Amino acid sequence: MSKVIVSSLYNSPVFKQACRQFDQAADAISLPETLRDRTKYPRRCFAVSLPIQRDDGSVTVFEGYRVQHNISTGPSKGGIRFHQKVTIGEVAALAMWMSWKCSLVGLPYGGAKGGVIVNPNQLSESELERLTRRYMQELIPFIGPDTDVPAPDMGTNEKLMGWMMDTYSNHVGHISPSIVTGKPIALGGSQGRREATGAGVAYLTKRYLEDFKIPLSETTVVIQGFGNVGSEAALALVDYGAKVVAISDYTTGIYNPQGIDIRKALQYIASQRVLLDFDGGEPITNEQLLELECTVLIPAALQRVITPENAGKLRCRILSEAANGPTTYQADRVLEKRGDIEVIPDVICNAGGVIVSYFEWLQNRQNYYWDKEEVMTKLFRILDRAKESVEAQMRRYGFSRRLAAQTLGIQRVADAKQGRGLFP
Ligand code: NAD
């Protein structure tokens, strides 16, 4: 049963999508009414205005947000997105999904997310540094290693996390690496963090291919979004023996049925920043890319790219959701009706990032650092456990994989809220 959205603040298509998913899950597990809204809506949010001096001496004021969805199960945790289309509703939806994700995989965190309305490609490096530091400066009263711990997301990376850590550390007067995760290794970053999200996507995809008895040598992969997550997933899947036949970024898609040389594509991006004019295949549009025939389709860019319009036209066997919220609620209904595509839902599929972020936070707090093998072994063990619990939930209640994953995550948050009671 769909409910009226009572929050006008977050009102946006992607927030409604997250709310509808929540309502469906809450109905499926008969979550008591008294727990519903407090489990569903964000705990608090901050909107900050960020004036920075441009290289030409002028001043531009950017707008940024941080939404802390749930702090009942631990400090809140979630990435920071720099994108020109960020809205507070989008940030709230992403924060909600972080809550379910952390609970599903058993991390002692709540969910949060941050965003700044900016196209980072249009700023110089020094402007980007000033904006990043200003954003952190504004967040300082609201975040901390025991309160809320940011990380990278679209448009941000380890260099920005380094500037954020430095800004916070200067404020508190000593180095405080556990304030953000996804930092450079030299600043307390974890081995394997850069690879973690994509490696997790590839690992789970491999495990499901095994379940469905599809050999990796016969697996073709199409990836939308060739940034941190998409490129790391591509590298890992190629190393497992699959063939990546299409990749894309915001400028173009590239299709090569013989298989794209992923390392060559990465070298091209390192010098050109974008895939445009890369000669490793034929140019195609992002829309065409989603409808290519393949074994595995990996959306690894923005949310809401699989819609009721194209869901019927997908020609993949497995949909590995590396991006957050890539499939709209209505598109999900189309996929369920089709029944021929196995969905690995975002809350488990891309959880590798926050799992290794958790490892990074632990290492920072202990001042004791692990090698990459230890990180990856522990990461895959947690993903295996989460996969088993999702499959068991599917079998037990006859849920779709998404509903199984979301009900597990939501139930654990609701249980914590129930246990803590209502503060008078
Ligand atoms: P990124 O900025 O490194 O890369 C994003 C890629 O998507 C770039 O190649 C960009 O050009 C491309 N892109 C942007 N708009 C596009 C469009 N309209 N069409 C096609 N491509 C487009 O970001 P990322 O960190 O790789 O994040 C990608 C997705 O993965 C996001 O949905 C993010 O929320 C999710 N995610 C990231 C992490 C993480 O650890 N970075 C963890 C979990 C989930």
Side-chain angles (χ1 to χ4, degrees), residues 34 78-79 128 131 134 158 160 165 183 285 295 330:
T34 50
L128 193 58
L131 179 62
R134 185 67 194 226
E158 55 187 54
L160 274 67
M165 190 278 266
K183 301 177 292 294
T285 66
T295 321
Q330 291 83 355

Side-chain angles (χ1 to χ4, degrees), residues 29 100 103-104 386 389-391 393 403-413:
I29 53 174
W100 320 146
S103 280
L104 169 65
S389 65
V390 168
E391 296 305 304
Q393 182 88 338
L403 190 58
Q406 286 182 336
T407 48
L408 284 169
I410 288 168
Q411 184 74 63
R412 287 178 196 160
V413 176

Side-chain angles (χ1 to χ4, degrees), residues 27-41:
D27 286 344
I29 53 174
S30 303
L31 197 68
E33 283 299 332
T34 50
L35 272 173
R36 288 204 185 197
D37 282 357
R38 54 189 285 238
T39 307
K40 176 175 172 181
Y41 290 111

Side-chain angles (χ1 to χ4, degrees), residues 92-142:
L94 292 164
M96 228 166 144
W97 286 321
M98 280 304 291
S99 288
W100 320 146
K101 189 182 304 175
C102 292
S103 280
L104 169 65
V105 298
L107 303 182
Y109 286 140
K113 208 79 183 190
V116 176
I117 308 172
V118 61
N119 180 347
N121 300 314
Q122 289 176 354
L123 297 189
S124 70
E125 172 134 332
S126 56
E127 289 171 338
L128 193 58
E129 177 171 357
R130 286 196 286 278
L131 179 62
T132 306
R133 288 183 180 277
R134 185 67 194 226
Y135 177 64
M136 174 49 107
Q137 181 67 44
E138 293 301 326
L139 287 189
I140 284 174
F142 312 115

Side-chain angles (χ1 to χ4, degrees), residues 331-342:
D332 230 6
R333 307 286 78 74
V334 177
L335 295 182
E336 265 177 28
K337 210 164 173 187
R338 281 182 58 163
D340 57 343
I341 295 179
E342 299 286 344

Side-chain angles (χ1 to χ4, degrees), residues 81 153-155 193 197 226-229 249-250 286 300-301 323-324:
R81 178 170 290 192
D153 189 75
M154 261 185 59
R193 175 59 185 89
T197 310
F226 196 64
N228 169 274
V229 178
D249 67 6
Y250 73 94
N286 266 290
N324 286 301

Side-chain angles (χ1 to χ4, degrees), residues 79-85 94 97-98 101 113 120-121 151-157 182 193-198 201 223-232 248-253 269 273-275 285-287 289 299-303 305 321-326 346 349-354 357:
I80 291 166
R81 178 170 290 192
F82 278 15
H83 192 270
Q84 59 277 19
K85 290 201 176 138
L94 292 164
W97 286 321
M98 280 304 291
K101 189 182 304 175
K113 208 79 183 190
N121 300 314
D153 189 75
M154 261 185 59
T156 58
N157 57 27
R193 175 59 185 89
R194 188 188 309 166
E195 299 90 330
T197 310
V201 170
I223 303 179
Q224 183 188 55
F226 196 64
N228 169 274
V229 178
S231 64
E232 291 296 343
S248 72
D249 67 6
Y250 73 94
T251 62
T252 189
I269 295 226
R273 289 182 76 168
V274 291
L275 275 174
T285 66
N286 266 290
E287 291 71 33
L289 173 135
L302 286 171
Q303 63 276 0
V305 292
E321 292 186 337
N324 286 301
D346 50 5
C349 192
N350 66 33
V354 70
S357 273

